[in-house]
Amino acid sequence: MQEFYTETSTADILLFTPLAALFGGESIADSAPLRRAIKKAINEELVEAIARESRKGRILQVATTNLDAQRPMIWEINRIAESDHPNKVELIRKIILASASVPGVFPPVKINVQYRGQLHQEVHVDGGVTQQIFVYPRDLDISRFRRLLKTQPESNFWLIRNTKTAPDYSEVELDVSGLSNRAISTLIKYQAKGNLINIETLAKRDGFNMHVTDVPVEFDEPLEDMFDKNYMRALFKVGYERGKRKAWRTGL
């Protein structure tokens, strides 16, 4: 994971195709390099390893957004890995690709599904469109599970936010690009704060202890490119050090 996170460049992730977008294309970039990287990382051996962990009771979930339905979609990757689905490796690859497909930047991912005997094609993009961070749906009755299990184990949410949660002052460049970028980043920041507030209410309702960590405000490594190796290495180091120090806070 460290190698993938710190040694990946923009060229390893996308290929800019702005002319295609001008003529009605789905995005300003082609995600073919990212597809190749995902194909290399997610193979049959990895999927079988996920299946083994699933049989032990562990869960691996990945979120995408179903644009057709305007709904978040939470995929249980462990259940897919454990299934007899003939194309489960390719399906998991598609889900991972969709979860990283920022609309407009990357093309959406089409996933075939069957509903009531009919074949449909859903359009999926980055799960961050609908939720930046998640645990489980609000209408899931956790107390029912506890009654069935006849136990009251200590329950914790451990939440890692891979960016700054607190406001971060920076003078805005007064042009279309500068204003738009700052507005979008601010929108995403406060969407995430809303998600965290929602999770905090779930924690209080369902008896979970909530622990949060994020990128500290003092982190100031300049981002020179979309996938700047120096920036990613510095960010990885900060995350690793905060993990070693157990830099968790309770609540927001």
Side-chain angles (χ1 to χ4, degrees):
M1 184 180 75
Q2 180 177 355
E3 180 181 355
F4 191 85
Y5 197 89
T6 60
E7 300 301 324
T8 299
S9 66
T10 300
D12 298 322
I13 298 296
L14 56 84
L15 177 66
F16 282 108
T17 55
L19 287 178
L22 288 175
F23 291 96
E26 296 175 333
S27 61
I28 62 170
D30 185 347
S31 58
L34 179 57
R35 284 200 306 273
R36 289 193 292 269
I38 291 172
K39 184 176 181 178
K40 181 180 178 181
I42 300 175
N43 51 35
E44 290 185 3
E45 290 77 15
L46 178 64
V47 172
E48 178 52 38
I50 295 171
R52 286 196 299 271
E53 295 303 311
S54 180
R55 287 188 282 270
K56 297 176 186 177
R58 302 184 74 180
I59 298 172
L60 175 60
Q61 296 179 327
V62 173
T64 65
T65 297
N66 181 336
L67 277 186
D68 297 309
Q70 290 189 322
R71 290 179 178 273
M73 178 71 72
I74 299 174
W75 303 82
E76 288 206 348
I77 301 299
N78 59 295
R79 294 286 297 276
I80 297 172
E82 201 178 345
S83 74
D84 295 325
H85 194 293
N87 299 316
K88 60 185 179 182
V89 176
E90 184 57 29
L91 176 58
I92 291 172
R93 288 170 179 164
K94 279 193 167 188
I95 293 167
I96 299 299
L97 178 61
S99 74
S101 294
V102 179
V105 178
F106 293 116
V109 177
K110 288 87 169 179
I111 298 179
N112 293 329
V113 298
Q114 198 169 43
Y115 179 68
R116 294 182 177 177
Q118 298 292 319
L119 188 65
H120 300 270
Q121 190 175 71
E122 296 179 346
V123 176
H124 286 262
V125 296
D126 186 351
V129 171
T130 44
Q131 50 190 358
Q132 294 292 316
I133 188 167
F134 71 94
V135 286
Y136 54 78
R138 291 191 67 85
D139 55 359
L140 184 64
D141 187 356
I142 294 295
S143 62
R144 179 171 176 269
F145 288 101
R146 287 180 171 155
R147 288 194 300 271
L148 290 172
L149 293 172
K150 298 180 180 179
T151 182
Q152 294 292 326
E154 182 180 1
S155 303
N156 296 281
F157 289 148
W158 301 93
L159 306 173
I160 301 173
R161 180 75 181 129
N162 187 28
T163 188
K164 298 177 183 178
T165 302
D168 186 24
Y169 182 83
S170 176
E171 290 189 1
V172 181
E173 294 185 18
L174 297 178
D175 55 32
V176 171
S177 175
L179 290 167
S180 299
N181 288 338
R182 188 63 171 173
I184 291 170
S185 67
T186 302
L187 175 66
I188 292 171
K189 183 186 292 286
Y190 280 88
Q191 179 195 11
K193 291 190 77 168
N195 294 152
L196 288 169
I197 291 169
N198 177 54
I199 293 171
E200 189 173 42
T201 63
L202 284 179
K204 292 176 180 177
R205 185 193 74 182
D206 295 335
F208 282 79
N209 302 311
M210 180 169 164
H211 312 271
V212 183
T213 192
D214 51 16
V215 178
V217 175
E218 57 269 20
F219 179 77
D220 59 359
E221 181 73 23
L223 180 63
E224 304 293 345
D225 194 10
M226 189 177 293
F227 293 92
D228 181 346
K229 287 185 181 181
N230 291 330
Y231 177 88
M232 299 301 282
R233 289 167 184 159
L235 184 59
F236 186 92
K237 182 179 179 182
V238 166
Y240 182 78
E241 290 175 349
R242 286 176 73 81
K244 284 179 64 177
R245 296 200 315 270
K246 299 182 179 180
W248 301 95
R249 65 178 185 274
T250 56
L252 300 178

